[in-house]
Every structure is written in C-alpha cells, then in structure tokens.
C-alpha cells in the first residue's frame, strides 16, 4: 500500500467532490493503459486491479492507494517523488509518501472495515438503489462480485471457501461523489474467511463497486 500525505497552502479548497476523479486520472497516467481499461469477466463485466481512499481535512489530503501488482504502487510513488502530486491543475510539491506491506501477517479469518458499495437498478427509472450491508441482497452481490473479480484478475475460478460476514454496520450512510454523480455507502466491519491469495486480492483491490472511485477500500481491523 502507498500512503500519500499532501499539504496544500490553503484550507478547504472546493475540490472535495472531484478529488477521486483527479487522483484516479493521476494514477492512470502513470500506468499501462490496460489498468484503465480493466480486466474482463466472461460476461463482459470489467474489474480494476487497484483501489484507493481519500481523506481531506483542513489543508491536508491523505490518500491510501493499493494495487494487486506492487510495481504499480512503485510507479505512482516514483512519479510523486519526481514531480509531486498532480491533481488536475493543482500541483502539490509538499508531499510525504511511504510504502507499507499490509499482507505480511494476514490470517484467516480476517476482520476488516471500510465503506463498501453495492446497488441494484430500479426497474422503472433504471437508477441505482444502493443497499445497506445488513440486507441479504447486498451480501449476495458482494460475494458474487468478489468471486468474479478473482476470476478476472487471476484468470481462473476460486476453488476454496469464501465467507464474508457482516459484524456491524453504521446506521447512517455516507455520500461519496464522483464525476457529478453520488454514491451511497455504509461503513461496516466484516469477517472474511478465505485463502491467502483471496485475502491479498481483497486488501489490494477492495470489495464491491466503484473500486477506483474512492470506495471499497478496506483495512484490517486492529484488535
């Protein structure tokens, strides 16, 4: 995982809603075009091999970015070291970065936390209806989505047990913004039982929808 701490000269610039889009664009400019295109599942669904989360408070922006291919993390890190963090027209030279191995001591079952999104389409308007983690449909979607992502990224079916169990959910959702749209997600704590390769994929690429739009990033719960 790449951790980026950036300080900007003024507080609370009106860029909060577009930060995910700006950082996504910065990442893709540093990598092979295939990462932007994504990886295909047989039904045509595309999956991304990386994800991130952003926190913006005062004049500080903290970004956590992870990728299945660790060379991608290094490429983004080197670009920041050489030229600073470029978010559209904003060039932030005052940055600190660090690379952290989060998978070194991971064991199954593993407890994780994060904002995970899953949705169904309204049959009338075709708009997305975002589901609460405690619903059966959410859990069904997340389980299927994770298995499909494994196939798309690894090129084979997952052959071991996969259990994703919700332990707790915050009562109120948070609204995330991306490219003029809004995404509703609830913070949850989950217990996952899987083999090491699947757990590493989840930590490196996230869970659920909108993985490269600032959602789905999960972290191991420290006891």
């Amino acid at each position: 995982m790449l951790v980026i701490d950036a300080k900007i000269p003024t507080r609370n610039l009106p860029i909060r809603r577009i930060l995910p889009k700006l950082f996504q664009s910065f990442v893709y400019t540093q990598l092979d075009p295939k990462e932007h295109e994504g990886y295909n599942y047989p039904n045509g669904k595309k999956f991304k091999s990386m994800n991130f989360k952003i926190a913006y408070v005062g004049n500080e922006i903290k970004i956590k970015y992870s990728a299945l291919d660790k060379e991608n993390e290094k490429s983004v890190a080197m670009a920041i070291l050489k030229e600073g963090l470029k978010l559209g027209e904003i060039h932030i030279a005052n940055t600190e970065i660090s690379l952290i191995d989060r998978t070194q001591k991971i064991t199954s079952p593993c407890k994780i936390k994060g904002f995970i999104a899953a949705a169904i389409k309204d049959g009338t308007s075709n708009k997305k209806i975002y589901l609460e983690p405690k619903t059966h449909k959410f859990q069904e979607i997340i389980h299927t989505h994770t298995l499909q992502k494994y196939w798309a990224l690894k090129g084979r079916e997952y052959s071991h047990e996969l259990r994703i169990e919700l332990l707790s959910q915050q009562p109120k959702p948070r609204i995330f913004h991306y490219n003029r749209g809004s995404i509703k997600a609830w913070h949850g704590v989950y217990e996952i039982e899987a083999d090491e390769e699947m757990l590493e994929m989840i930590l490196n690429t996230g869970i659920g929808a909108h993985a490269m739009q600032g959602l789905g990033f999960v972290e191991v719960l420290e006891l």
Side-chain angles (χ1 to χ4, degrees):
M1 176 178 69
L2 173 63
V3 180
I4 307 163
D5 289 291
K7 292 185 179 181
I8 52 182
T10 185
R11 298 173 65 87
N12 293 319
L13 285 173
I15 60 172
R16 189 179 304 277
R17 292 193 174 202
I18 60 172
L19 269 177
K21 178 70 172 178
L22 295 177
F23 182 70
Q24 180 200 70
S25 297
F26 172 77
V27 168
Y28 286 148
T29 59
Q30 314 305 323
L31 306 178
D32 190 292
K34 70 179 182 181
E35 299 297 351
H36 187 195
E37 296 165 3
Y39 296 80
N40 290 329
Y41 184 69
N43 66 2
K45 185 183 295 185
K46 290 183 177 293
F47 293 89
K48 299 301 173 68
S49 68
M50 60 191 74
N51 76 331
F52 65 88
K53 65 176 289 188
I54 297 178
Y56 179 26
V57 180
N59 68 330
E60 296 185 1
I61 299 173
K62 189 180 189 75
I63 303 172
K64 294 181 178 180
Y65 162 74
S66 62
L68 191 63
D69 184 348
K70 295 304 166 185
E71 291 301 315
N72 288 337
E73 293 181 9
K74 294 176 183 178
S75 294
V76 174
M78 288 302 299
I80 296 172
L81 286 174
K82 290 179 179 178
E83 300 182 359
L85 177 61
K86 294 182 178 180
L87 301 175
E89 298 299 319
I90 303 169
H91 184 191
I92 308 173
N94 188 5
T95 59
E96 296 181 1
I97 64 172
S98 57
L99 287 166
I100 300 172
D101 182 2
R102 298 193 295 160
T103 62
Q104 192 172 18
K105 297 181 180 180
I106 192 171
T107 58
S108 181
C110 177
K111 292 182 180 179
I112 60 164
K113 60 181 180 179
F115 286 93
I116 298 174
I120 57 175
K121 288 188 177 180
D122 183 285
T124 304
S125 65
N126 211 34
K127 290 184 179 180
K128 288 186 177 180
I129 301 173
Y130 288 96
L131 305 172
E132 292 191 47
K134 64 184 180 182
T135 64
H136 176 74
K137 189 62 177 178
F138 176 98
Q139 295 166 32
E140 177 186 313
I141 290 172
I142 292 302
H143 189 271
T144 301
H145 186 274
T146 303
L147 292 175
Q148 290 177 343
K149 178 188 278 190
Y150 185 94
W151 197 102
L153 299 183
K154 301 290 186 177
R156 63 183 187 277
E157 289 188 2
Y158 181 69
S159 58
H160 299 279
E161 179 182 5
L162 173 64
R163 179 176 61 86
I164 306 174
E165 180 183 351
L166 176 70
L167 300 181
S168 65
Q169 170 201 316
Q170 288 185 352
K172 294 183 179 180
R174 175 178 165 186
I175 304 300
F176 293 79
H177 300 278
Y178 179 83
N179 203 25
R180 298 183 181 180
S182 59
I183 305 162
K184 183 186 294 185
W186 286 258
H187 188 276
V189 176
Y190 302 80
E191 183 175 82
I192 300 181
E193 188 171 352
D195 70 5
E196 182 179 351
E197 191 172 31
M198 173 64 86
L199 289 174
E200 289 184 358
M201 187 201 77
I202 288 171
L203 277 182
N204 288 323
T205 69
I207 305 181
H210 309 292
M212 274 301 282
Q213 298 177 11
L215 287 105
F217 189 98
V218 294
E219 298 179 88
V220 176
L221 189 65
E222 296 181 5
L223 303 177

